[in-house]
Amino acid sequence: MHPAFSVVFFTTATGAGYGLLALLGLLGGFGVIPADFWFGLVGMALALGLIAAGLLSSTGHLGRPERAWRAFSQWRSSWLSREGVASVATFIPAALFGIGWVFLGRNGGWVAVAGLLAAAGALVTTCTTGMIYASLKPIAQWHSRYTLPAYLIFAAMTGSVLGNALFQCFGAASTAVLIGGLLATLAGWGWKLATWNYNDRLEIPTTANTATGLAGGTVRSIEWPHTEENYLLKEMGFSIARKHSAKLRPVTQALAFAAPAFLLAIAFFLPWPLGVIASVLAAVVQLAGMLVERWLFFAEAKHTVALYYGR
């Protein structure tokens, strides 16, 4: 078993998309960057395209994707439902901002309000996505203070690095965005290292004995509770060898953090078009690295239900 690629792609694509949408909504709406048609069109298409692709891919690991709409009705108690509602609601101000900024060539006024609301919606949706995992008490690796900030940091990181590549490609290089992307990448790297350190030292008090309430010996599973694998085993009961984890963590650090940070640092000094190439490579390499990071995020987590299967 391995994590479903649909959910790995979902968290990577939507994080980058919402990060870029928030950046464009804030800077474009308030006139920090001009209302250029092609720049705005490509930027908004990239942001909304990543978000839409991620949301659509998230239905790929559902047993009955045609019933996904029912999740919207549980917003009072479910973070998954809140995420769905927030994601759909964010498209409204994002569409208005895109129309005003891209097609009407305006910023300020109602366009600025729409951009601000789109940025706020991106922030709220990213928080709800993080809380889906941070709220799961049976998974100790996710139910910690590191999970929600990681989603926000990674969204800001990938969004700003994508934004810098966009700025560079259209000849509107921004030192502030470039430095912001570099600092966000370093912050994401530090946060990921801290998360791994916390998870590696995590002591989970639950055992097969405490789960069953039996004492006086070591409880062992002789047979599985049922004859077929269930949802929890497929989604949250992976077995990843330590040697594989040890190999993939350096890959994550190299692709998601180290290489993009280096490319952004040298892009600051390189002339056009070398600075453009370095910036685009930084964005592409980082997204590839985040796919590996997200895969590890799911693969290294252990649901306590696995105790009933002798794991």
Side-chain angles (χ1 to χ4, degrees):
M1 295 183 298
H2 54 80
F5 180 76
S6 57
V7 73
V8 172
F9 178 79
F10 158 70
T11 52
T12 303
T14 55
Y18 283 123
L20 181 58
L21 176 62
L23 180 67
L24 294 177
L26 291 173
L27 299 183
F30 290 104
V32 178
I33 50 179
D36 179 80
F37 175 79
W38 287 110
F39 176 88
L41 181 64
V42 173
M44 291 299 294
L46 182 59
L48 296 179
L50 283 170
I51 294 170
L55 291 174
L56 289 175
S57 72
S58 67
T59 64
H61 68 288
L62 299 178
R64 300 294 295 272
E66 70 277 8
R67 297 180 180 177
W69 63 271
R70 295 184 178 180
F72 289 89
S73 64
Q74 307 300 315
W75 59 269
R76 293 181 181 85
S77 58
S78 168
W79 282 107
L80 179 63
S81 182
R82 292 165 187 164
E83 178 200 41
V85 173
S87 64
V88 172
T90 300
F91 272 99
I92 299 174
L96 293 174
F97 169 66
I99 292 172
W101 187 48
V102 177
F103 296 102
L104 301 181
R106 297 179 56 182
N107 43 33
W110 66 268
V111 178
V113 174
L116 183 60
L117 290 175
L123 175 64
V124 171
T125 307
T126 303
C127 286
T128 57
T129 303
M131 284 304 300
I132 292 174
Y133 305 100
S135 64
L136 295 177
K137 294 182 180 180
I139 305 179
Q141 290 86 353
W142 294 350
H143 188 64
S144 75
R145 63 183 182 274
Y146 290 95
T147 301
L148 177 58
Y151 271 82
L152 295 173
I153 294 172
F154 292 154
M157 177 184 76
T158 52
S160 58
V161 173
L162 270 177
N164 173 67
L166 184 68
F167 278 47
Q168 295 275 359
C169 287
F170 281 88
S174 170
T175 301
V177 174
L178 192 156
I179 294 177
L182 175 58
L183 293 178
T185 298
L186 294 176
W189 194 355
W191 195 260
K192 193 63 203 180
L193 290 175
T195 303
W196 280 334
N197 180 63
Y198 171 81
N199 288 341
D200 290 343
R201 303 171 67 177
L202 187 64
E203 295 184 3
I204 303 176
T206 305
T207 64
N209 287 67
T210 60
T212 57
L214 300 175
T218 301
V219 175
R220 294 184 297 108
S221 295
I222 300 176
E223 295 181 350
W224 280 26
H226 43 72
T227 58
E228 296 181 358
E229 292 183 346
N230 59 18
Y231 168 79
L232 286 175
L233 278 184
K234 291 180 179 179
E235 297 291 328
M236 303 171 189
F238 313 110
S239 294
I240 178 171
R242 287 184 179 272
K243 62 178 181 179
H244 295 153
S245 180
K247 290 179 180 178
L248 290 177
R249 285 188 179 186
V251 172
T252 297
Q253 294 188 65
L255 295 180
F257 309 112
F262 173 75
L263 290 168
L264 291 174
I266 64 173
F268 186 81
F269 301 100
L270 291 175
W272 189 94
L274 296 179
V276 177
I277 296 173
S279 295
V280 173
L281 279 177
V284 173
V285 170
Q286 186 169 79
L287 287 177
M290 287 306 297
L291 288 174
V292 181
E293 187 280 331
R294 289 291 87 186
W295 191 93
L296 275 176
F297 174 78
F298 290 102
E300 292 183 326
K302 295 294 184 292
H303 197 291
T304 51
V305 75
L307 291 171
Y308 289 99
Y309 300 86
R311 298 185 181 180

